Amino acid sequence: MSEPILVAENLTKWFPVKRSVGQVLRGNRTWVRAVDGVSFSIEKGEIFGLVGESGCGKTTTGKLIMKLLEITDGRLYVSGEDVTHVRGRALEKHRRAVQMIFQDPYSSMNPRFTIRDVLMEPLEIHKVGKDMKEREAWVREILNEVKLSPPEEFLVRHPHMLSGGQRQRAATARTLMLNPSVIVADEPVSMIDLSTRAEILHMMRQLQRELGLTYIYVTHDLSTARYFTDRLAVMYLGKIIEMGPSGTVIDRCLHPYTQALIGAVCEPVSGKVNQVKDVPIKGEIPAATNIPPGCRFHPRCLYAIPECWEEVEPKLVDIGGGHMVACRRHEEIERVGAAARTSEASLGIRRATRIS
Amino acid sequence: MAMERVLEVRDLELHYFTRKGVVRAVDKITFDVRQGETLGVVGESGCGKTTMGTALLNMPTPPGRIVGGQILLDGLDILKISEQEIRRRVRWESISMVFQGAMNCLTPVYTIEKQMKETLQQHREMSKEEARTRMKNYLNMVGLADDVLQRYPHELSGGMKQRVVIAMALFLEPRVVICDEPTTALDVVVQAQVINLLKDLKSQVNLSFIFITHDLSIEAEVSDRIMVMYAGQIAELGTSDQIFGPQGPAHPYTQRLLAATPLLHKEVTELAFIPGTPPDLVDPPSGCRFHPRCHVVMDRCLKDEVPLREIEPDHMVACWRCFHE
Amino acid sequence: MKGARFDQLRTFWAEFRRVKSGLVGLALLGVFILIVLLAPWLSPYSQADKRWRDMTYWIDSPRDARPLWVNWFTSRKYTETQTINAASSKETITGSGSSTMRIEEMEFPYQYKAGYPPNDIMIKLGVTGRSSYEVLIVRPDGKQMSYRGSTTIEGAQVVRLSVVETLASRVYAALAPSEDPAFAAQKDPTQIDPMSALFAKAQPGVFTNPVNVPGTYTVKVKLALIGPDAKLDTSQVLVMGGVSGILGTDDGKRDLWSGVVAGTKWALLLGLLTSLISVAVGVIYGVASGYFGGWIDALMNRIYEVFTSIPLLPILIVMSAVFKPSIWIMILVMCVFFWTGPVKTVRSIALQIKENAYIEAARGLGASHGRILFRHLVPQLLPFAFASMALSVPGAIVTESSLSLIGLGDATVVTWGQILRDAFGSGAVLKGVWWWVVPPGLAIAVMGMTFAFIGFAMDTILNPRLKTR
Amino acid sequence: MYWKYVVRRILYAALIMVVCVFIFSALFNTVADKVMRGQIDEQVKGEIVQIQKSNRGMHPEQLQAIRDQRTAQLYAQYHLNEPMMQRIMYRTLSSLVFNFGTSTQMKSLAGSNNVNTIIYERIPRTLLLFGVAAVLDIILGVWLGLVKARRAGKMMDRSTDLVTMVLFGLPLWWLGMMFIMLFAFAIPIFPSSAMHASPPPADALGNFLDLMHHLALPVITIVLFGFWGRAYITRNLVVSTLQEDFIMSARARGLSERRILFGHTLRSAAPPIVTMSLLALVVSIGGGLIFEGIFSWPGLGNLYWQAVQQNDVPVLMADLMVTTVLFIACLAFLDLIYGFLDPRVKVGGKA
C-alpha cells in the first residue's frame, strides 16, 4: 500500500443556528451538525466516492477538504502535513494542491469572463508564470488536455456560448491550471445531459491516469459512483455509515440505509413496471439540528432494536477486505440478505443491440 | 394490444416565435395514449418534451404557439374549441398535469384546502362535506394526513408538496394525467417513494399517464410504452420490453442513450456517449436531425427527412437504417 | 480581455438601442450637455450665473416682460424691447475754460407699432463729468411734453420716464384738453398711467380707455455738459417692452432664459455628482453587506435601517436651516441620505451572485476578498449601478429645488429651484405670471424625464422578466 | 405567531426611534443650546425688570447678583452647564417624552407658545390631507396597474409607462403651483389656499363641504402625481407573478381567467404590492411635505416653511422629531400589513 495523500480524522463541522434574543438569554446554543466526525484516508491515484442524500454532509465534507469552510474539530492531513488550521503561505500552498469541480457548470464560471479569463485567474492569483506569453501557452496546453480544441476557438468564448459538457471541461481545465494533487469533484455530471455524462467521466479518468491525480467524487448517484470510483463511503446525517471498495459496498451492502439507497435506484432494464420498488426505510430524514440519540439512523431503520437508541452510536468496524460498516446488527443482516442478493445481481444483464 | 385510445395527437406543431427566429420546438409529432397505460416521454433537455406536455392542455407558454395538427380527446379536437370550452371540458376535467418543479405549483398565499376546494368547485357541484371527504380521500391515497389541508405550502416539505400536487391531479378523475419530471428535484429515496406511489395509484385507478422525464432509468420503472424524443421529433416509440428488453432499442440514439447509462450491479469499464450537442431548433440539420451525432450515419440520412414507421407491432422508429426497403 | 469588455458594452448598447424612450433620453441629455457647453453663446446675459442677484446687472432689461413669442399668439401685441441710438445729434459750445458748456442735442426716433404701450422708456446718457438734461417727447400728432432734470449730476445720467412724476403731469397737461372735460376735472394728474396715455390717441377716454396710436415718437434730449472735462460717450434710449427674450423677465428684470440656462449647469452638476457618489457608496455598501454576511451584514443592515427611517427632506430642511450650507456641502449632505437607495437591491443581487459556484471557485483558487468583490461582484452590478444612478439624478435635483423653494438653498448660485422660490415668494403663482413659474419647473421635469427615460430603459434590459415580448 | 411578530416589529420601531432622536439631539445640540440660553437670558431680563419695578432702590450690584444667580439656576434646571454628552442624553430623553419646550416666535391658534400645542394642532391636518390622497392613490394605482398588466406591452401600457417616466423627476409642489394657476385662477373652480374659507361656514355640513372643497385641489394634485407610480409597481409585480409556475398550474386546473387574475395573481402579489406602493408613497410624502406650503395647508409641512422663515429652532426640531416618528410608525405599519398578508410571516416559517 502506498502513502495516503489525504487523511481526515474525525472531521467535524457544526454550524451555529441563528437564535432569537430569548434563546441567547437562556443560553441555548443549537448547532447544525453538518459533518459530525468523519474519518477516512485516500491513497494517491485513488478515486474515492462520497455518496448520500442531500443534506447528509457530503458537499460540506468536500468544502472542508477544500478549506472553504473552517474545520470545527478533527484533523486534516494532505501529503502528510497537517492542514487543519493553516493560514497565509501554507494555505496558499494547500489551495494549489487541492482543487474543486462544481456541480453546476452554468454557475461555476463568471458569465462575464471569457474562457481565457477563467483559466488565467488561478495563474494571476498565485502569480504563476513569468509573463503573459508563458501563461497563455500553459492555458492552451491545458485546453488541449481537456479536449477543448482548437484552443483559439474556445479562449475568446464566454461560458454561455459553450454546451454543458464543454463548460464542465473548461471547469476541469481550471482545476488543472495549478497542477493539483487532489481534485474534489462535487456532482460534476449531475446537471449534464445523459448523452455527454459518460464523456466527461471518461475524460476525467483519462486525466487521472495521465497526471496521477486523486479524486474525491461527491455524488448522490450510486450508478455513476459504481462506475467511476475505486472506493465508496456512504454518508447519513453527517457520518459515514458504510465504506469500502465500490463493488463490495454496492453488491454486498450491510447497513440498512445503504440498502434503502440501493433499493431506490432506478435502472433501465425491462420488466420493472409492475414491480413495487423495495425501499426498506420509513419516515423522512430528520433535521441536522436534532440528531437522534444512539444510532442516528434508528428512527428510520426497519431492523432497529432498543439497543440501537439506548446505547452509544456504533463505530465503523472493518469486516474484512476494507469493507467497513457502522451497524450493530450487520452480521444478522448479512445472513438475511444473502439469499435475496442473488436475484438482484441477475438484473445487470448485458443488452444486445440491433445495429453495429 | 387493442386498447381504447384516449388521446390521439396528429402532426402537432408548436413553434416559439423569438427574435432569433422560429424555434420548432414540437415538429409534427403523432402518437396516441391508450386507456390505462403509462406513456413515457424521454429526451435530453431542450428536445421539446415539456413543451409538448403543455400543448396537450392547449396552454403554450408565450412566445410559443400551436401552429398545426390535431389533439383528439375521445375524438374531439381540443384545438378547435373555444377557450371556455377547453377550460370546462379539457383542463383538469379530462387532462391534468403535474408540472415540473411541483414545489412552485401551489399558490403560496392559500392553504392547501382552499386551492383544492377551488379546483373542485370549478368543475363539480358538490356540498362542502362531500368536497372535504373527497379531498381527504385523495390526500390519504397519496399518503398524507388530513391536517395537511390546513397548511400553507411553505409549511410542507418538497416530497409532501409533490404528493399534494399528485393528489390534486387525480381527484377529478381525469382521463389522462401528464407528469412532467415529477421526481427530478427529489432525493433518491423520496423519488423511489413517489414512483411507488404512482405505481400504486395506477393499479387503483384506471387512467392513463404521460410520464415526461430525461431519465431512461425512471421510464423503465413506470412506463408501459416509451416515446423517445430528439430535437422536437419522435425518434422511437415502443413498449418497455421493446426498448429495455434483451433485444434492445432500434434507433441509434436510444441505443447510445441506454449504453451511456451506468448500471448499478454491473461492473462496466467503458460507457458509451454521444458526441456533439443537440441541434439548434431555429435551424435544424437537414435530413435526419440526429445525423451529425449518429455513429451509423448513411448518405441518405443527410438528405432525406426520415418518417416514423412501424417496424414491428407497436414499435415505431424514425431511422433509415431500420427500414428494410 | 479589453476586447471582451468592449464586446459586452456593445451588446448592452444593442439592447439599449431597441428601447426608444432610452434613446430619447440620451438625446435630451445630449441637448442639456450642449446647453451647458454653449451657455456663453446661448444666453444674452453671459454673466447671469455669477451676477444673478446683482440688481445693477439687470438694469437694462424690462421688468415683468413676457416671452417674445407670446406676440405670435395674441391679436394685441406687446411692445418689443429695443434699443434706439441717436438718429441725429448736434453740438453747440458756449463759454470757455472752466465755464465751458457744451449743449448736445440728440434725437431718438421710436417706431411704435400699436398694441400694448411700452412699460417704460429709459434714457441712458453716458456722461463723464457734470451735466444736466432736458427731455422733449414729440408724438406723431405733434403734441409735445418736456421734462427737465432738476439738478446737475456728476457722471452718467439715467432717466426712467415711468417713474418721473412730473412727466405724468406733463402728459396730463398735454392731453387733458382732449379728454372729456368733466372727467378731466376730476382726475388727479399724478394718478394717470403716463405710459399708456403717452401713446394714446388724443380723444375723450385717453386716460381711462386709451386707444394706442402707432407712429414715430421722437425723444429729443438736450444735454448740457458743464465744464471742460465733461464728455459724452454713447447715449441710448431703451424702450422697455412687454416682451423680452426667449422666456421673458421676472420682477427683478432678470432674463429668465439666461437663468434657466445657468441653472442647467448646476442641475446637471449636483444631480450627477450626488448620484455618482451616493450610488458608488451604496453599491459598495450593499455588496460588502451581502458578500460578508454574518454579523457584518447584520450590523450594516441596522445602520442602513436607521438611515432609511429618517425622512429625507425634513432632515435636510433642518440641517440646512441650522448649518446654512453651500451647494457643495449640500451635495455632500444629500449623499449622506441618498446612498441608501441602491443598497437593498444590490445586497440581494450580491447574495444571489454569491450563491454562484464561481465565487466559491474563486475562493477555492485562493482569491482574496478584494479580488472577489471588485473582479467578480462589482462588475456584474455595474449595469444596475448605472441604472440606479440615472434614476437617482432627478431625486437630487428635486431635493435641491425643494430646499431652495423653502429658502434654504445656496443663494450664490442660480438653480432652477432658486428661480422658482423667487417666483413663488413674489406671488407669481397668484398673479398668474406663468412665464416665471413654468420654465424652471419644466426644466426640472424635462431633466428628470431625461434621466428617467435612460434609467427605465436600462432597467427593462436588466429585468428580463418585465419584458413583454 | 403573528402577534409575536407584531410585538417584535413595534419594539424594533421604538428602538429605531430612540436611535434617530439621539442622532438628532447630538446633531443639533449646539444650536438648541444656544437658543435655550437666549430664551433663559430673555426670561431673566424680564424678571429683573419686574424686580426693578417693585423695589426701586435696589443696588445695581445686587441686581446683577440676583440676575447671575437666577441665570445659573435656570441653566442648571435645563442642564445647560453639564458636559456635552449629558446634555445630549437629557435632550434625547425630553424629546422622547415629547417635551420640546417653548417656541421662540411662533404661536398656536390659541396663542400658546408651547411647541407641543403648536405641533399637535397640525398633525391631524397633515394626516387628513395625505391620508385621503394615499387611499385614492392606492385604489387608482392598483386598478390602473391591473389594467396595464392585462395589456402588458400594448399601447395603453406603454403610454401610461411614459407618463410615469415623464412625472418621475417632477417636483410635486411645482405641479401644485401649476394647478393653482390653472384651477384657482385661470378657471377658478377651487380655492387656492388654506383649509377653510374665512370666515368658515357656521353649520357643520357647510363646514364639512367647505373643507372638502379646500381639500380637493391638493388631493387631486397628489393623486394625479403619484398613482402612475403605484400603477407601475403593481403592473411589474403582477406581470412577474403571472409568469410563476403556480399561475400556470392554476390555469391548467381550469380556473377562470378572472379567478386567476384576482384570486391567485393579485392575492399572491398583494404583500409586495401593498408594501412597495405604500413605501413609495410614504417616502414621497416625506419628500412632499413642503407641498403643503404651496397650498398654505396648515399642516406639519407648512410648519417647516413658517419655522424656517421665522428661524424658530425649537419648533423646527420638534417638527422634525414628530415627522420622523410618524415616518417610522408608517414603516412599521407597512411591515405589519406585509406580515398579515403573507402567510409565511403570519403562520411562521422562512420569511
Side-chain angles (χ1 to χ4, degrees):
Chain A
M1 262 203 181
S2 59
E3 185 84 336
I5 191 160
L6 189 135
V7 177
E9 275 176 16
N10 195 28
L11 212 54
T12 303
K13 178 69 194 178
W14 289 11
F15 294 104
V17 171
K18 236 180 148 180
R19 296 171 299 167
S20 69
V21 180
Q23 282 168 318
V24 174
L25 290 179
R26 266 177 265 130
N28 286 357
R29 287 224 80 163
T30 41
W31 300 91
V32 175
R33 289 151 74 171
V35 177
D36 202 14
V38 161
S39 306
F40 53 83
S41 81
I42 302 170
E43 277 155 37
K44 191 168 164 48
E46 193 181 19
I47 305 183
F48 181 75
L50 271 177
V51 295
E53 290 182 278
S54 56
C56 73
K58 56 187 195 301
T59 299
T60 311
T61 308
K63 285 181 182 168
L64 288 180
I65 293 168
M66 285 295 298
K67 287 199 54 63
L68 283 171
L69 296 170
E70 273 304 310
I71 295 167
T72 311
D73 196 15
R75 297 260 143 223
L76 180 69
Y77 302 91
V78 175
S79 306
E81 277 173 58
D82 186 348
V83 294
T84 317
H85 297 293
V86 289
R87 295 187 164 279
R89 301 286 303 169
L91 180 63
E92 215 168 276
K93 198 180 146 207
H94 176 77
R95 291 250 183 272
R96 295 178 63 161
V98 183
Q99 290 289 324
M100 188 160 184
I101 302 173
F102 293 86
Q103 173 177 16
D104 184 358
Y106 297 88
S107 85
S108 70
M109 274 172 271
N110 191 329
R112 306 187 142 245
F113 280 24
T114 58
I115 298 303
R116 184 205 307 264
D117 295 337
V118 170
L119 297 185
M120 283 292 199
E121 186 166 35
L123 302 181
E124 282 168 21
I125 293 170
H126 291 276
K127 304 192 177 60
V128 178
K130 286 200 300 288
D131 49 19
M132 281 301 276
K133 233 180 178 169
E134 197 179 305
R135 286 180 186 175
E136 179 119 12
W138 180 231
V139 167
R140 278 161 200 271
E141 195 177 313
I142 297 286
L143 276 178
N144 276 324
E145 197 85 55
V146 297
K147 311 263 168 357
L148 282 180
S149 51
E152 294 73 31
E153 197 182 307
F154 290 95
L155 279 176
V156 292
R157 292 211 196 158
H158 286 279
H160 67 88
M161 298 153 108
L162 304 182
S163 71
Q166 287 171 332
R167 254 180 262 200
Q168 211 59 312
R169 283 166 190 274
T172 311
R174 175 172 58 191
T175 61
L176 297 176
M177 293 309 292
L178 295 170
N179 273 328
S181 44
V182 177
I183 292 180
V184 179
D186 184 4
E187 310 250 15
V189 293
S190 74
M191 293 184 75
I192 294 174
D193 264 321
L194 193 64
S195 61
T196 34
R197 225 175 250 190
E199 204 181 349
I200 299 290
L201 289 176
H202 180 77
M203 173 206 76
M204 284 177 66
R205 179 171 281 171
Q206 222 170 12
L207 287 172
Q208 183 240 354
R209 284 184 196 136
E210 281 169 27
L211 307 172
L213 296 170
T214 306
Y215 286 124
I216 295 171
Y217 180 73
V218 178
T219 188
H220 68 274
D221 180 359
L222 278 163
S223 312
T224 56
R226 162 99 197 228
Y227 162 71
F228 190 62
T229 62
D230 302 321
R231 231 151 41 89
L232 208 53
V234 182
M235 287 184 74
Y236 181 75
L237 275 184
K239 235 185 165 76
I240 293 178
I241 48 102
E242 189 159 7
M243 177 159 70
S246 308
T248 319
V249 170
I250 287 172
D251 292 337
R252 299 166 53 87
C253 60
L254 290 176
H255 198 283
Y257 177 66
T258 319
Q259 288 184 341
L261 270 189
I262 287 169
V265 171
C266 299
E267 284 189 289
V269 289
S270 66
K272 299 178 91 177
V273 180
N274 297 315
Q275 264 174 27
V276 171
K277 293 185 77 67
D278 179 27
V279 190
I281 196 167
K282 54 186 182 185
E284 288 201 18
I285 195 162
T289 43
N290 186 21
I291 288 181
C295 172
R296 59 190 64 208
F297 185 61
H298 83 258
R300 304 182 71 192
C301 185
L302 300 177
Y303 302 89
I305 47 173
E307 280 171 54
C308 291
W309 58 87
E310 281 162 6
E311 289 180 22
V312 289
E313 192 159 25
K315 291 217 159 49
L316 263 182
V317 288
D318 198 325
I319 57 165
H323 187 183
M324 300 167 92
V325 63
C327 177
R328 75 170 33 87
R329 303 189 68 190
H330 67 84
E331 283 169 2
E332 298 153 68
I333 291 169
E334 182 161 30
R335 260 177 269 130
V336 176
R341 207 159 38 239
T342 41
S343 62
E344 263 185 49
S346 66
L347 290 174
I349 30 170
R350 186 102 200 113
R351 284 177 299 266
T353 46
R354 230 169 254 247
I355 315 164
S356 80
Chain B
M1 283 198 275
M3 277 189 280
E4 190 196 342
R5 288 171 177 180
V6 181
L7 194 67
E8 290 172 79
V9 178
R10 302 270 167 268
D11 294 322
L12 184 66
E13 273 184 290
L14 190 148
H15 295 178
Y16 286 107
F17 297 87
T18 66
R19 273 200 197 125
K20 267 165 59 193
V22 179
V23 179
R24 299 187 192 166
V26 175
D27 200 5
K28 291 199 172 149
I29 62 172
T30 300
F31 64 94
D32 49 33
V33 182
R34 297 162 192 175
Q35 178 68 42
E37 74 161 356
T38 301
L39 175 72
V41 179
V42 71
E44 290 177 90
S45 51
C47 73
K49 49 191 196 303
T50 297
T51 308
M52 196 269 300
T54 50
L56 295 183
L57 288 164
N58 195 2
M59 237 177 59
T61 28
R65 231 169 41 221
I66 297 176
V67 292
Q70 292 175 304
I71 299 170
L72 302 170
L73 179 76
D74 292 326
L76 170 81
D77 187 355
I78 65 164
L79 298 180
K80 293 255 161 60
I81 58 178
S82 72
E83 179 71 20
Q84 205 160 0
E85 283 284 279
I86 291 176
R87 215 183 289 138
R88 203 169 59 79
R89 294 172 62 177
V90 181
R91 292 190 189 147
W92 236 247
E93 188 67 43
S94 302
I95 305 176
S96 63
M97 185 159 177
V98 177
F99 287 92
Q100 190 171 6
M103 331 283 153
N104 304 324
C105 283
L106 294 168
T107 306
V109 288
Y110 291 140
T111 56
I112 303 301
E113 175 167 23
K114 178 152 175 133
Q115 305 193 42
M116 292 182 88
K117 200 156 77 190
E118 182 186 50
T119 314
L120 266 183
Q121 282 166 347
Q122 185 80 32
H123 294 278
R124 299 271 193 286
E125 301 255 334
M126 57 170 70
S127 71
K128 264 190 181 159
E129 256 333 289
E130 260 180 292
R132 254 188 110 74
T133 323
R134 189 173 199 146
M135 291 189 285
K136 282 179 183 170
N137 280 348
Y138 275 88
L139 283 180
N140 296 343
M141 195 192 271
V142 296
L144 291 172
D146 293 348
D147 69 320
V148 167
L149 280 178
Q150 265 70 52
R151 309 267 203 101
Y152 284 95
H154 73 273
E155 297 175 283
L156 305 177
S157 71
M160 287 164 93
K161 275 190 255 187
Q162 189 74 55
R163 283 160 191 265
V164 169
V165 170
I166 292 172
M168 265 169 106
L170 294 171
F171 75 163
L172 282 176
E173 288 154 1
R175 311 285 317 264
V176 183
V177 178
I178 306 169
C179 298
D180 187 6
E181 307 261 11
T183 60
T184 302
L186 304 175
D187 263 317
V188 215
V189 173
V190 187
Q191 173 179 311
Q193 286 164 345
V194 172
I195 288 173
N196 275 343
L197 169 71
L198 287 172
K199 286 181 174 182
D200 200 29
L201 291 172
K202 209 179 124 193
S203 64
Q204 287 181 43
V205 286
N206 183 31
L207 44 81
S208 312
F209 283 94
I210 296 178
F211 198 97
I212 302 172
T213 177
H214 67 276
D215 192 342
L216 271 174
S217 331
I218 296 176
E219 296 292 13
E221 292 278 355
V222 296
S223 301
D224 300 304
R225 288 196 303 144
I226 285 104
M227 177 168 118
V228 182
M229 284 184 75
Y230 184 79
Q233 294 176 329
I234 299 174
E236 185 165 4
L237 177 58
T239 63
S240 182
D241 283 335
Q242 283 160 349
I243 304 281
F244 298 113
Q247 194 185 18
H251 198 286
Y253 174 64
T254 324
Q255 287 171 359
R256 278 291 159 127
L257 219 48
L258 203 52
T261 318
L263 286 171
L264 185 58
H265 293 289
K266 179 85 186 168
E267 197 75 54
V268 185
T269 40
E270 276 316 315
L271 286 178
F273 58 83
I274 306 171
T277 50
D280 180 4
L281 292 182
V282 175
D283 182 26
S286 63
C288 170
R289 290 200 180 164
F290 185 59
H291 86 253
R293 301 175 75 189
C294 185
H295 57 294
V296 290
V297 64
M298 307 185 294
D299 286 347
R300 180 158 196 196
C301 304
L302 275 65
K303 296 194 298 281
D304 301 337
E305 262 195 56
V306 53
L308 186 69
R309 281 193 200 156
E310 197 160 53
I311 54 163
E312 60 180 307
D314 276 334
H315 195 177
M316 321 260 283
V317 181
C319 175
W320 289 118
R321 282 259 178 196
C322 303
F323 305 150
H324 306 287
E325 296 177 333
Chain C
M1 237 155 69
K2 283 277 169 321
R5 299 278 176 283
F6 190 69
D7 241 30
Q8 274 162 31
L9 260 178
R10 211 159 43 195
T11 37
F12 188 76
W13 170 240
E15 288 254 14
F16 190 87
R17 239 179 12 193
R18 267 199 271 272
V19 191
K20 279 198 204 80
S21 59
L23 289 183
V24 173
L26 270 191
L28 282 173
L29 181 62
V31 170
F32 276 121
I33 290 174
L34 272 182
I35 288 178
V36 173
L37 292 179
L38 301 179
W41 294 278
L42 280 177
S43 79
Y45 297 86
S46 53
Q47 284 176 296
D49 186 25
K50 290 187 197 73
R51 300 181 64 183
W52 184 252
R53 304 212 175 262
D54 178 0
M55 284 307 154
T56 57
Y57 184 66
W58 304 100
I59 204 84
D60 291 356
S61 66
R63 185 187 303 278
D64 288 331
R66 288 166 168 75
L68 267 180
W69 43 265
V70 165
N71 275 347
W72 303 345
F73 304 102
T74 51
S75 49
R76 193 176 179 199
K77 308 291 181 201
Y78 293 92
T79 328
E80 283 179 29
T81 300
Q82 68 186 89
T83 308
I84 301 159
N85 290 313
S88 65
S89 60
K90 199 170 81 190
E91 194 179 56
T92 339
I93 305 176
T94 57
S96 62
S98 61
S99 63
T100 308
M101 177 135 65
R102 270 178 296 174
I103 310 288
E104 301 276 355
E105 284 177 73
M106 290 166 286
E107 273 186 31
F108 300 91
Y110 169 54
Q111 300 293 333
Y112 172 60
K113 291 191 215 100
Y116 294 97
N119 286 0
D120 196 0
I121 291 176
M122 189 158 82
I123 303 162
K124 287 173 79 182
L125 302 167
V127 179
T128 5
R130 295 172 68 216
S131 66
S132 69
Y133 67 88
E134 193 184 309
V135 177
L136 179 74
I137 299 167
V138 185
R139 288 167 36 119
D141 61 1
K143 288 204 163 32
Q144 302 187 352
M145 40 226 83
S146 68
Y147 165 71
R148 182 197 289 271
S150 52
T151 48
T152 311
I153 291 173
E154 185 81 32
Q157 295 266 14
V158 176
V159 190
R160 286 178 58 193
L161 291 188
S162 68
V163 293
V164 174
E165 249 181 54
T166 35
L167 182 76
S169 53
R170 295 295 159 89
V171 170
Y172 184 79
L175 294 172
S178 323
E179 177 61 283
D180 184 1
F183 177 79
Q186 288 173 6
K187 190 76 183 173
D188 175 2
T190 57
Q191 290 303 301
I192 63 158
D193 175 5
M195 279 300 150
S196 67
L198 183 61
F199 292 95
K201 194 166 185 181
Q203 62 182 24
V206 63
F207 298 127
T208 50
N209 191 15
V211 177
N212 299 111
V213 193
T216 310
Y217 291 75
T218 315
V219 178
K220 292 183 176 171
V221 180
K222 202 188 234 174
L223 184 73
L225 294 161
I226 301 156
D229 304 326
K231 272 211 307 282
L232 175 68
D233 301 327
T234 46
S235 296
Q236 289 174 324
V237 165
L238 299 179
V239 181
M240 306 294 197
V243 288
S244 160
I246 300 173
L247 294 178
T249 59
D250 65 9
D251 73 347
K253 296 183 154 200
R254 291 176 290 205
D255 181 48
L256 287 166
W257 166 248
S258 303
V260 169
V261 168
T264 310
K265 180 177 80 182
W266 290 106
L268 264 185
L269 186 79
L270 78 91
L272 286 176
L273 208 58
T274 309
S275 66
L276 184 77
I277 298 174
S278 51
V279 168
V281 172
V283 165
I284 291 172
Y285 191 93
V287 165
S289 168
Y291 174 69
F292 288 111
W295 66 270
I296 297 180
D297 184 33
L299 179 73
M300 287 176 97
N301 261 331
R302 295 294 159 269
I303 295 173
Y304 165 81
E305 269 163 28
V306 169
F307 272 95
T308 47
S309 296
I310 301 172
L312 176 69
L313 197 63
I315 179 75
L316 286 178
I317 288 175
V318 178
M319 283 177 87
S320 309
V322 169
F323 301 121
K324 311 254 175 337
S326 74
I327 188 134
W328 304 106
I329 303 285
M330 215 144 92
I331 290 174
L332 210 72
V333 173
M334 278 199 275
C335 290
V336 169
F337 292 92
F338 262 79
W339 66 266
T340 54
V343 167
K344 217 169 180 173
T345 320
V346 164
R347 181 175 168 273
S348 64
I349 298 177
L351 280 175
Q352 263 173 39
I353 299 177
K354 195 179 135 193
E355 288 307 309
N356 278 320
Y358 63 84
I359 300 298
E360 200 143 45
R363 277 189 57 214
L365 291 170
S368 61
H369 289 314
R371 188 184 168 91
I372 292 173
L373 280 178
F374 287 100
R375 195 144 154 69
H376 288 281
L377 284 166
V378 173
Q380 303 245 40
L381 284 159
L382 278 185
F384 171 78
F386 283 128
S388 73
M389 225 160 87
L391 290 177
S392 66
V393 167
I397 296 173
V398 169
T399 306
E400 189 279 337
S401 48
S402 303
L403 288 177
S404 293
L405 182 76
I406 190 168
L408 299 169
D410 183 344
T412 59
V413 296
V414 201
T415 64
W416 294 331
Q418 299 272 0
I419 299 175
L420 279 169
R421 168 185 167 65
D422 291 340
F424 189 68
S426 68
V429 174
L430 303 185
K431 287 186 214 150
V433 189
W434 52 268
W435 63 92
W436 195 358
V437 182
V438 175
L442 209 58
I444 297 176
V446 172
M447 183 162 291
M449 192 177 85
T450 301
F451 285 99
F453 276 176
I454 297 173
F456 278 88
M458 289 202 249
D459 215 35
T460 34
I461 297 171
L462 297 176
N463 291 324
R465 271 172 86 97
L466 302 184
K467 269 189 203 149
T468 44
R469 255 188 307 165
Chain D
M1 198 63 204
Y2 180 59
W3 289 112
K4 230 168 147 182
Y5 171 77
V6 171
V7 171
R8 249 206 341 259
R9 185 63 187 86
I10 290 173
L11 283 179
Y12 187 62
L15 182 73
I16 292 269
M17 206 179 84
V18 173
V19 174
C20 287
V21 170
F22 175 77
I23 291 174
F24 295 159
S25 304
L27 204 56
F28 305 115
N29 182 53
T30 322
V31 183
D33 273 359
K34 212 166 83 188
V35 172
M36 193 146 254
R37 274 171 218 268
Q39 279 176 321
I40 289 173
D41 289 349
E42 199 72 15
Q43 186 190 340
V44 172
K45 205 191 268 172
E47 285 173 11
I48 295 296
V49 171
Q50 285 299 317
I51 293 170
Q52 248 176 337
K53 266 188 199 152
S54 51
N55 29 358
R56 296 196 164 267
M58 220 166 193
H59 201 269
E61 273 173 28
Q62 229 175 330
L63 269 177
Q64 187 60 38
I66 293 173
R67 168 183 261 177
D68 288 349
Q69 188 204 346
R70 180 72 182 138
T71 310
Q73 183 201 342
L74 282 171
Y75 276 16
Q77 187 184 331
Y78 290 107
H79 303 257
L80 284 173
N81 291 329
E82 285 166 26
M84 190 163 82
M85 205 55 214
Q86 260 153 302
R87 287 203 314 274
I88 293 173
M89 291 316 285
Y90 169 71
R91 185 151 290 123
T92 308
L93 281 177
S94 53
S95 299
L96 281 175
V97 295
F98 293 96
N99 176 9
F100 298 117
T102 51
S103 64
T104 53
Q105 307 282 331
M106 303 187 64
K107 291 204 167 20
S108 73
L109 279 182
S112 155
N113 63 352
N114 183 327
V115 175
N116 280 7
T117 327
I118 297 175
I119 297 269
Y120 288 161
E121 69 186 22
R122 283 169 184 265
I123 293 176
R125 300 170 185 165
T126 290
L127 290 183
L128 174 71
L129 173 62
F130 286 103
V132 170
V135 169
L136 291 177
D137 186 298
I138 293 274
I139 293 173
L140 277 176
V142 171
W143 168 78
L144 182 66
L146 276 177
V147 173
K148 276 160 67 81
R150 283 178 99 163
R151 297 176 201 166
K154 300 259 169 61
M155 197 53 210
M156 135 95 199
D157 181 30
R158 295 219 213 140
S159 54
T160 46
D161 269 359
L162 201 70
V163 179
T164 315
M165 289 190 258
V166 169
L167 287 176
F168 184 79
L170 193 106
L172 172 61
W173 43 263
W174 182 69
L175 200 67
M177 289 180 181
M178 302 308 292
F179 279 14
I180 291 178
M181 288 205 294
L182 259 174
F183 297 115
F185 288 93
I187 318 161
I189 44 176
F190 291 114
S192 68
S193 65
M195 246 175 98
H196 281 291
S198 81
D203 59 313
L205 180 68
N207 202 317
F208 176 76
L209 289 177
D210 180 54
L211 178 64
M212 287 301 118
H213 192 209
H214 281 81
L215 191 62
L217 194 56
V219 164
I220 289 172
T221 313
I222 299 174
V223 172
L224 275 185
F225 176 79
F227 87 102
W228 310 94
R230 246 58 65 204
Y232 185 78
I233 292 173
T234 308
R235 179 242 183 231
N236 284 352
L237 286 167
V238 168
V239 164
S240 59
T241 308
L242 277 172
Q243 291 165 24
E244 296 279 356
D245 286 348
F246 61 80
I247 296 301
M248 186 167 66
S249 159
R251 190 165 286 143
R253 292 205 298 269
L255 302 187
S256 66
E257 283 302 310
R258 204 184 156 70
R259 183 132 206 165
I260 289 168
L261 187 68
F262 289 98
H264 289 255
T265 314
L266 197 57
R267 178 63 187 85
S268 306
I273 287 177
V274 170
T275 41
M276 281 180 72
S277 320
L278 280 176
L279 181 70
L281 198 68
V282 168
V283 169
S284 82
I285 287 173
L289 265 179
I290 62 158
F291 164 80
E292 285 182 353
I294 303 296
F295 284 94
S296 309
W297 185 267
L300 287 171
N302 201 18
L303 192 61
Y304 282 108
W305 288 74
Q306 294 164 343
V308 165
Q309 260 145 29
Q310 304 186 19
N311 202 17
D312 197 327
V313 176
V315 173
L316 209 52
M317 298 272 310
D319 201 0
L320 176 62
M321 303 263 183
V322 170
T323 317
T324 308
V325 168
L326 286 176
F327 192 74
I328 292 172
C330 283
L331 295 182
F333 180 62
L334 284 184
D335 281 357
L336 295 186
I337 295 182
Y338 188 96
F340 183 73
L341 289 176
D342 192 334
R344 273 166 291 194
V345 179
K346 195 160 112 185
V347 222
K350 51 181 191 247

